[in-house]
């Protein structure tokens, strides 16, 4: 059964994240207890416990709508180098989703690039929220109907940014979309908001900031992360790493993950 036994707040898209100023979230439900997140076998010093973004209710499934993103080419090495330098001054960073500590990875550049940068990332188009089982078919059908047709477009990730989740339990080092692709993603977010609203689900933030997250840390360490990013910008090598944008990705489609199952909402034909 795919009920939310092991569902925690979404890391990749930070769908439940605001900018470096954290947003508050009200709720009548009491905070659930901390649950330990098992670490991968090859990394015995795993991540600390994390808090569920919403309490577990039997029969609920976690919903996440997103654009999948892959980093390819020479930018992978450059981004891995940036992460390595940030991790050298900000302790306690972990790879998003994989939840592997960055520090041991930084001893092997090839492994760092493979584990931290060579995976799939997500641009969230809506909040990660629980839905009931009877809502799944309607949700997927409506998303497909409204997001079926899209023209290809390019997405520029222009800026390193720091985000903090709603309750300040985690901080994220992310790459934000500031220019090319922003208008298209914003339109898609509005469509997803409409579908969420029709299913009585909370909409995305009023002023969304599309991004992918690459690393996270426990608690609100936005100040330390922001200082590290600013130091990198002032360094002599930073201009070589990102003269205009950090990397560019082609929009390839939209996916929806409910529980452990992933649904293709729209997919562009291979050229």
């Amino acid at each position: 059964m795919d009920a939310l036994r092991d569902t925690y707040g979404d890391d990749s898209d930070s769908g439940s994240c605001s900018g470096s100023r954290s947003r508050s979230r009200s709720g009548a439900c009491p905070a659930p207890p901390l649950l330990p997140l098992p670490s991968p076998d090859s990394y015995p010093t795993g991540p600390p416990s994390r808090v569920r973004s919403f309490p577990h209710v039997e029969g609920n499934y976690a919903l996440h709508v997103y654009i999948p993103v892959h980093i390819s080419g020479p930018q992978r090495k450059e981004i891995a180098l940036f992460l390595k330098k940030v991790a050298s001054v900000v302790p306690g960073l972990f790879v998003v989703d994989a939840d592997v500590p960055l520090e041991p990875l930084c001893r092997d550049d090839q492994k760092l690039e493979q584990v931290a940068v060579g995976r799939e990332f997500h641009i969230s188009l809506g909040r990660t929220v629980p839905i009931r089982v009877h809502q799944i078919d309607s949700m997927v059908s409506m998303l497909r109907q409204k997001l079926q047709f899209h023209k290809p477009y390019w997405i520029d990730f222009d800026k390193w940014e720091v985000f903090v989740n709603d309750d300040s339990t985690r901080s994220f080092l992310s790459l934000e979309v500031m220019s090319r692709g922003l208008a298209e993603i914003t339109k898609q977010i509005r469509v997803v908001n409409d579908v969420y609203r029709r299913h009585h689900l909370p909409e995305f933030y009023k002023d969304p900031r599309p991004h992918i997250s690459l690393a996270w840390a426990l608690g609100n360490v936005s100040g330390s992360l922001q200082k590290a990013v600013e130091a990198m910008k002032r360094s002599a090598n930073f201009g070589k790493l990102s003269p205009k944008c950090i990397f560019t990705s082609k929009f390839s489609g939209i996916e929806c993950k409910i529980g452990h199952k992933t649904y293709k909402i729209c997919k562009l034909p291979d050229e």
Side-chain angles (χ1 to χ4, degrees):
M1 186 174 182
D2 292 337
L4 292 176
R5 295 187 181 93
D6 300 311
T7 300
Y8 293 80
D10 180 68
D11 294 333
S12 56
D13 48 353
S14 306
S16 57
C17 295
S18 63
S20 32
R21 297 174 300 172
S22 62
R23 301 172 189 257
S24 62
R25 176 185 296 172
S26 61
C29 298
L34 291 175
L35 298 178
L37 182 69
S39 60
D41 294 338
S42 56
Y43 297 91
T45 56
S49 300
R50 298 191 289 166
V51 182
R52 295 179 188 268
S53 60
F54 40 81
H56 163 65
V57 176
E58 189 67 29
N60 277 6
Y61 294 78
L63 165 69
H64 183 210
V65 185
Y66 58 88
I67 299 171
V69 174
H70 293 88
I71 303 172
S72 59
Q75 289 79 13
R76 281 178 57 164
K77 291 185 181 296
E78 296 168 356
I79 291 171
L81 176 61
F82 191 97
L83 290 175
K84 183 177 181 178
K85 291 189 175 184
V86 172
S88 69
V89 295
V90 182
L93 290 177
F94 297 86
V95 177
V96 163
D97 278 355
D99 292 321
V100 174
L102 264 181
E103 184 179 356
L105 288 177
C106 291
R107 302 168 194 157
D108 185 329
D109 289 348
Q110 185 176 359
K111 186 173 290 186
L112 173 65
E113 180 182 340
Q114 178 184 357
V115 176
V117 190
R119 49 176 297 276
E120 181 178 280
F121 299 94
H122 301 147
I123 301 174
S124 291
L125 299 179
R127 293 178 185 264
T128 299
V129 294
I131 64 170
R132 303 294 293 174
V133 63
H134 68 270
Q135 295 178 299
I136 294 177
D137 288 344
S138 172
M139 172 63 67
V140 173
S141 176
M142 195 174 295
L143 285 172
R144 284 174 172 167
Q145 178 185 2
K146 292 180 174 292
L147 293 167
Q148 184 176 7
F149 302 106
H150 283 285
K151 295 180 180 180
Y153 66 88
W154 291 93
I155 304 171
D156 286 347
F157 293 85
D158 312 278
K159 179 186 178 185
W160 287 99
E161 186 55 271
V162 177
F163 291 85
V164 179
N165 68 347
D166 289 342
D167 50 10
S168 296
T169 57
R170 277 183 291 164
S171 304
F172 299 87
L173 179 60
S174 308
L175 285 169
E176 187 174 2
V177 180
M178 302 287 291
S179 55
R180 193 165 56 157
L182 180 60
E184 290 86 350
I185 296 171
T186 302
K187 290 179 182 177
Q188 291 166 343
I189 288 173
R190 286 200 292 265
V191 172
V192 174
N193 270 343
D194 180 60
V195 176
Y196 270 44
R197 187 165 51 248
R198 291 170 184 266
H199 288 81
H200 308 289
L201 298 174
E203 298 177 36
F204 212 39
Y205 299 114
K206 183 178 179 181
D207 300 308
R209 297 172 61 182
H211 61 277
I212 61 171
S213 293
L214 290 90
W216 70 275
L218 192 65
N220 187 345
V221 296
S222 57
S224 300
L225 281 173
Q226 199 65 54
K227 285 180 182 178
V229 170
E230 292 301 323
M232 283 292 294
K233 289 180 180 179
R234 293 191 298 267
S235 70
N237 292 328
F238 185 82
K240 299 176 183 178
L241 292 176
S242 56
K244 292 184 179 179
C245 73
I246 290 91
F247 84 99
T248 297
S249 176
K250 189 174 184 180
F251 171 75
S252 59
I254 297 173
E255 296 180 358
C256 170
K257 187 173 183 180
I258 302 178
H260 298 296
K261 186 172 181 179
T262 301
Y263 299 83
K264 297 287 185 182
I265 301 302
C266 75
K267 188 178 187 302
L268 298 186
D270 296 330
E271 296 180 351

